[in-house]
Amino acid sequence: MGSISKLLGMLRVRSLLLVSRRGPAAEGAGELAAALEESGARVTVAACDVAWSTGRPDSAPGPLGIG
């Protein structure tokens, strides 16, 4: 985790959104958020299913849902 925190600090990342299906209930989410916040970033952990609904990335819509 140290190298990720260092990289975020070097890049001056100030805000992060971490998503997973379980969000804050995911194992280790709290610890990860706390470690990243130590580098100065504001971290939000949210529950979100980011999988392709069809299971095939080539069928995903383009930017703005056009495609």
Side-chain angles (χ1 to χ4, degrees):
M1 181 53 59
S3 59
I4 293 174
S5 295
K6 288 179 185 177
L7 177 62
L8 294 175
M10 290 183 344
L11 295 174
R12 298 180 187 213
V13 172
R14 297 292 171 237
S15 184
L16 291 170
L17 172 62
L18 305 177
V19 296
S20 73
R21 289 182 179 179
R22 294 180 53 212
E27 184 177 339
E31 293 84 0
L32 175 59
L36 294 171
E37 287 173 342
E38 287 180 14
S39 71
R42 181 181 54 214
V43 179
T44 302
V45 182
C48 178
D49 186 350
V50 295
W52 298 107
S53 60
T54 63
R56 295 181 31 207
D58 60 335
S59 64
L64 304 177
I66 302 168

